[in-house]
Amino acid sequence: MAEFQSKATTAPRSDVKSLSLALQGGGAHGAFTWGVLDALLQDDRLRITGISGTSAGAMNAMVLASGLAHGSHAEARHCLTQFWRDVSRDGRMSPLQRTVFDRLMGSWSLARSPAYMALEVASRFFSPYDFNPLNINPLREIVEAHADFGAIRASPVELFISATNVHTGRARIFTKEEMSADAIMASACLPFLFQAVEIDGVPYWDGGYMGNPPLLPLYEKAEAQDILLVQINPVVRRTTPRTAMEIQTRINEITFNASLVAQMRAVDRAALLMDEGFLNRRARTHAAFRPVHLHRIGGDDEFAKLDATSKLNAEWPFLQHLRDMGREAAHTFLKTHFDDLGQRSTLDLRAELADD
């Protein structure tokens, strides 16, 4: 357990800063978020009071909340490591593996994998109800093994997980009181691979379509004034995609960022109304209108080198590579912006949302 002990010097209680986390989904790329969380948990100056997540972000959020509910940052770090190890072990049984050529060239892509190409063709003609009639999803066993839902429900840390209602097309936000393996699986249910997850008779698909991740619940209900977005889908690319895989990758990024951009516009609009005095003092004290500070940790330059198929690559060296990217990004953020926490936003929404 020594590996998971904090490297930071314990700070006086008055120096501890509260933080909410919004964790974006993106399959195996969620290992980047694992690295970010690992670094944040090493810093005793931080206290996590709220977490939201979608898909892989929901799984990270679940494991983090479960670990924190058992009492320590070190325990939460250990839980996250064990979770991703189990994901990788399970992935070794998958037919989706890199080709020898890709291994030799150092590519993490699965685009040349015969199994991936077969799945791509099959998904155009057959649904999960055809090729997976028993609805087998090995991730469910991993989720159930790594979550103490009773402890999560009793924890003071708020938790919000998004899924997409198949019937209405709207986002459904599951709170910690509603947390279950079904809620997590619903948030990560890719409709081309798995049957919709039914909860109380309602079918749900991946939350990434309508809330990736959900920001507004943290804005409205979480205690911390600072919200840190961990983003693993690049918003901007400066080159035009030309190959089939480049086009598929860019469509994937745009689709799974659309809801985030919409939420950013809502947050920015509320901030503008407050700045210009359109919200009176009474309205400002309402949680929905309170000022918040937004921050972001991402790896756009590194993720831009990866294609959409790498989100299905669960090899341990790849997950470690992403984890280390996340750790480095988080350490850089803390070194640069720790003093900004509680004082101001470091994510400029006006610049982020400006039209080119």
Side-chain angles (χ1 to χ4, degrees):
M1 183 66 71
E3 177 188 355
F4 301 100
Q5 297 304 310
S6 173
K7 297 180 182 178
T9 301
T10 302
R13 187 67 187 177
S14 60
D15 291 342
V16 173
K17 297 189 178 185
S18 296
L19 193 64
S20 289
L21 303 174
L23 311 180
Q24 199 171 47
H29 292 186
F32 174 89
T33 302
W34 162 34
V36 171
L37 297 177
D38 190 70
L40 296 179
L41 291 167
Q42 284 184 285
D43 196 319
D44 291 331
R45 300 171 298 172
L46 298 175
R47 182 171 70 98
I48 298 168
T49 63
I51 317 167
S52 71
T54 300
S55 196
M59 295 188 180
N60 275 318
M62 171 204 71
V63 178
L64 172 60
S66 186
L68 291 175
H70 284 94
S72 74
H73 284 195
E75 177 64 18
R77 293 181 65 208
H78 178 69
C79 289
L80 284 162
T81 297
Q82 291 304 116
F83 171 80
W84 283 99
R85 282 189 181 276
D86 284 352
V87 168
S88 179
R89 290 192 187 103
D90 187 76
R92 278 185 277 180
M93 304 300 294
S94 170
L96 297 174
Q97 302 291 336
R98 286 186 297 162
T99 64
V100 173
F101 176 78
D102 285 317
R103 293 175 187 273
L104 290 174
M105 297 301 295
S107 170
W108 299 111
S109 174
L110 298 179
R112 298 180 185 86
S113 164
Y116 177 79
M117 289 188 282
L119 180 62
E120 270 287 281
V121 173
S123 65
R124 298 177 187 275
F125 300 97
F126 303 99
S127 82
Y129 296 85
D130 299 316
F131 62 74
N132 187 9
L134 298 180
N135 201 24
I136 297 171
N137 188 340
L139 272 176
R140 175 178 283 275
E141 292 184 9
I142 297 176
V143 166
E144 291 174 343
H146 287 273
D148 185 339
F149 291 110
I152 290 173
R153 296 184 196 108
S155 169
V157 178
E158 297 294 340
L159 183 60
F160 306 97
I161 301 300
S162 69
T164 301
N165 183 317
V166 178
H167 289 165
T168 66
R170 297 173 184 167
R172 163 71 188 274
I173 306 300
F174 294 93
T175 65
K176 68 177 182 180
E177 290 79 13
E178 302 169 301
M179 209 49 54
S180 66
D182 280 341
I184 301 299
M185 298 310 298
S187 182
C189 180
L190 291 171
F192 295 109
L193 295 179
F194 303 107
Q195 298 178 24
V197 176
E198 290 202 5
I199 301 175
D200 297 328
V202 179
Y204 293 97
W205 281 339
D206 196 298
Y209 296 109
M210 296 305 297
N212 191 21
L215 283 181
L216 297 183
L218 297 176
Y219 184 70
E220 296 173 350
K221 299 177 182 178
E223 171 191 337
Q225 189 176 17
D226 291 83
I227 299 174
L228 174 60
L229 167 66
V230 183
Q231 189 168 3
I232 58 178
N233 293 293
V235 173
V236 176
R237 283 186 184 261
R238 298 301 179 185
T239 59
T240 302
R242 299 188 182 279
T243 69
M245 182 49 61
E246 288 172 347
I247 293 170
Q248 178 182 331
T249 296
R250 189 58 186 145
I251 290 174
N252 183 280
E253 291 167 350
I254 292 171
T255 299
F256 285 101
N257 275 326
S259 62
L260 174 62
V261 172
Q263 291 177 91
M264 284 181 170
R265 291 190 187 281
V267 171
D268 182 56
R269 182 61 177 170
L272 181 63
L273 290 172
M274 284 188 283
D275 291 344
E276 296 183 353
F278 286 103
L279 298 179
N280 60 34
R281 182 181 301 274
R282 181 178 179 184
R284 290 188 188 197
T285 61
H286 191 280
F289 297 106
R290 69 189 178 97
V292 296
H293 304 136
L294 286 178
H295 314 274
R296 176 171 60 193
I297 294 177
D300 280 12
D301 291 342
E302 293 299 320
F303 283 120
K305 301 174 185 177
L306 302 173
D307 64 32
T309 69
S310 64
K311 293 181 178 183
L312 299 174
N313 186 345
E315 293 177 55
W316 184 239
F318 182 48
L319 300 183
Q320 288 179 303
H321 168 69
L322 293 169
R323 176 203 61 192
D324 293 344
M325 281 171 47
R327 279 177 175 167
E328 182 178 356
H331 286 310
T332 299
F333 172 84
L334 291 172
K335 182 178 179 180
T336 307
H337 294 302
F338 179 82
D339 290 340
D340 293 316
L341 297 177
Q343 303 298 319
R344 67 181 189 91
S345 293
T346 58
L347 175 58
D348 186 345
L349 287 181
R350 306 288 162 82
E352 187 76 14
L353 299 172
D355 294 330
D356 290 336

